[in-house]
Amino acid sequence: MDRIAITGGAPLQGEIAIGGAKNACLALMPAALLTDQPLTLTNAPRLADIATMRQLLESLGCEIAALQHGRALAISAARIASRTAHYDIVRKMRASILVLGPLLAREGAAVVSLPGGCAIGARPVDLHLSGLEKMGATLELREGYVHAQAQGGLRGAEIAFPFVSVGATENLLMAATLARGTTRLRNAACEPEIVDLARCLRAMGAQIVGEGTPEIEVQGVAALHGATHAVIADRIELGTYMLAPAIAGGEVELIGGGRALVGALCDLLEAADVSVEDTPRGLKVRRRNGIVRAMRVETAPYPGFPTDLQAQIMALLTQAEGESVISERIFENRFMHVPELARMGAEIAVHGGAATVRGPAALRGAPVMASDLRASAGLILAALAARGETVISRVYHLDRGYERVEEKLSAVGARIERLREPAR
Ligand code: UD1
């Protein structure tokens, strides 16, 4: 397994290009199942999770061509050869559940393995399933698989989510495009990835209004058609790299994506005395001379502070003057980076769903282990501020969501390299 070695202390200077959003792309790809015509996605990120979704769609009979060196994906579901999403692919990635709504809507039947537990909490899919039942599907759980039937097709329904779920909103939004009649999703997720999905579905002929608000209305149509759609910028990659100069010092311009994608982070950085400036191409972040101020952070659905940036902001707060409190409201058990940060000298205490960070801590390089995708990003950021060398193992987690992280950071002056495992 590859590792990443970082020697901290170098201020950063230059620019970093932000890629297409992994989580948007993972919802857009299954949308191709809704039509027998090709869907072409441009600005696709080249990531392990995208390859897994590709493998899953191919197992269902999709033909997928990677164009522009993998930056564009042309997906054709002219013929659905299988309605079963098998465990050996689904277990690799929870977003696999997103094929359920589209398959059921198009084929009237689907068998999808339930995604297993996951390191950042229980993460059930009950909202996806109960929403589909409201749309007329009959579901049966057998041997770890959801067997879904909707003979005669899905029908529109009123679905009020008890709490906000990005994945459930996406699954039901896709299913509703081909349902008979009107579907209303209440307390829907407002994330930019939902807006991107709705735009793509509309380009495919779907009738959707209200995306980006808690109430989305979908008028079902008989069929969708092909389209070409550009994936939005990855706000989590953007936020992660905004935090790099905030931690290491210096000034970095992030190219692609803007303030609207990361408003909550911009507000926190400015309150912590880190400058964020809009530029014609993106955002410029500069650590002012002084020390970063401590603060309170609470993760929340968009437009709140994203849980996917929680580990990264924690890395910054180890360098802030005073006591910061981070409350994790989306996923229980998402503090696995804390013991690793402590090995680098951070002072963090976890009480239930909150972490108290006392700073500024003099971080020292250490061998650390990545426990999940965003935790790895937090460790990289902390390593940029640490004295000496940090070696991060299990970077396959990182590769699921960050493209060429070592190239992007070394181009702005970070001392970072990938230690490749010798081929066996
Ligand atoms: C998506 C993102 C993930 C991000 C998360 C929150 C993708 C592929 N993943 O995950 O990176 O961290 O949004 O922004 O886009 N829940 C249920 N029942 C359900 C569905 C969700 O109880 O049926 C709970 C979850 O356990 C969690 C909360 O609802 O506590 C939010 O989950 P959700 O927004 O659905 O997250 P994901 O779609 O899994």
Side-chain angles (χ1 to χ4, degrees):
M1 276 180 277
D2 290 359
R3 291 169 303 152
I4 284 184
I6 298 171
T7 303
L12 308 180
Q13 201 74 43
E15 53 184 61
I16 296 179
I18 303 304
K22 168 180 85 77
N23 286 349
C25 199
L26 288 176
L28 292 162
M29 293 171 74
L33 292 168
L34 292 163
T35 170
D36 59 5
Q37 296 178 15
L39 173 66
T40 300
L41 300 173
T42 60
N43 196 36
R46 289 177 295 198
L47 296 167
D49 275 9
I50 302 299
T52 303
M53 183 57 85
R54 181 175 172 171
Q55 200 191 349
L56 176 59
L57 293 177
E58 283 172 343
S59 77
L60 303 174
C62 293
E63 287 185 8
I64 305 182
L67 315 168
Q68 301 168 12
H69 308 285
R71 286 265 163 262
L73 298 169
I75 310 174
S76 166
R79 204 176 61 86
I80 308 255
S82 159
R83 296 166 178 174
T84 302
H86 287 283
Y87 176 68
D88 44 323
I89 306 181
V90 174
R91 72 184 169 84
K92 291 191 203 162
M93 188 180 67
R94 290 182 45 80
S96 307
I97 192 75
L98 295 177
V99 302
L100 177 60
L103 266 185
L104 192 55
R106 164 117 173 249
E107 294 286 292
V111 180
V112 177
S113 166
L114 281 174
C118 154
I120 61 172
R123 302 184 82 179
V125 291
D126 52 321
L127 301 184
H128 304 235
L129 303 185
S130 63
L132 291 171
E133 277 178 331
K134 289 219 173 73
M135 297 176 79
T138 50
L139 304 181
E140 223 184 300
L141 299 184
R142 279 202 313 268
E143 289 156 0
Y145 282 77
V146 184
H147 294 252
Q149 290 277 346
Q151 275 151 5
L154 293 169
R155 52 172 195 268
E158 301 272 331
I159 298 165
F161 297 108
F163 50 87
V164 173
S165 161
V166 178
T169 303
E170 290 168 341
N171 227 339
L172 297 173
L173 178 60
M174 288 191 275
T177 60
L178 293 182
R180 252 177 302 113
T182 307
T183 299
R184 250 177 235 103
L185 303 177
R186 293 187 208 277
N187 200 20
C190 301
E191 268 67 2
E193 292 75 22
I194 305 282
V195 174
D196 201 38
L197 175 62
R199 284 196 184 133
C200 175
L201 291 169
R202 232 182 349 250
M204 296 167 70
Q207 293 194 12
I208 301 170
V209 290
E211 76 276 9
T213 77
E215 189 166 325
I216 305 179
E217 194 177 293
V218 187
Q219 198 72 51
V221 296
L224 297 182
H225 52 73
T228 296
H229 176 83
V231 181
I232 48 161
D234 194 311
R235 64 197 169 97
I236 306 302
E237 187 189 28
L238 172 62
T240 301
Y241 290 130
M242 286 171 73
L243 284 161
I247 287 181
E251 181 177 287
V252 173
E253 185 175 6
L254 296 315
I255 313 294
R259 192 175 287 264
L261 290 176
V262 282
L265 175 64
C266 292
D267 293 349
L268 286 179
L269 286 177
E270 280 162 348
D273 213 20
V274 175
S275 137
V276 181
E277 189 193 322
D278 299 282
T279 70
R281 297 191 298 167
L283 291 171
K284 193 178 276 183
V285 177
R286 181 167 49 86
R287 165 97 173 246
R288 296 207 175 92
N289 291 330
I291 197 125
V292 170
R293 288 197 212 113
M295 56 188 157
R296 286 182 170 268
V297 181
E298 201 170 287
T299 64
Y302 185 87
F305 188 84
T307 173
D308 283 354
L309 285 175
Q310 183 254 106
Q312 299 91 313
I313 195 103
M314 187 181 285
L316 173 68
L317 294 180
T318 65
Q319 301 307 295
E321 173 94 44
E323 193 175 278
S324 297
V325 179
I326 303 179
S327 306
E328 174 55 64
R329 303 265 188 227
I330 309 291
F331 296 116
E332 81 264 31
N333 199 15
R334 201 176 195 177
F335 283 128
M336 276 160 325
H337 40 286
V338 168
E340 301 302 307
L341 290 171
R343 303 190 68 252
M344 300 174 69
E347 270 190 58
I348 307 169
V350 176
H351 314 275
T356 303
V357 185
R358 241 178 285 278
L363 298 182
R364 296 172 303 275
V368 291
M369 198 146 58
S371 54
D372 71 52
L373 167 55
R374 307 304 174 185
S376 341
L379 296 176
I380 292 219
L381 292 175
L384 294 175
R387 274 175 80 96
E389 190 185 60
T390 299
V391 177
I392 304 175
S393 54
R394 299 201 180 164
V395 295
Y396 56 86
H397 287 297
L398 196 76
D399 294 334
R400 287 186 42 208
Y402 291 89
E403 198 177 321
R404 297 180 291 115
V405 69
E406 66 280 9
E407 282 175 43
K408 290 191 182 190
L409 281 174
S410 62
V412 295
R415 287 171 290 187
I416 175 169
E417 64 173 327
R418 181 177 287 256
L419 310 174
R420 294 201 183 272
E421 186 187 26
R424 268 185 272 176

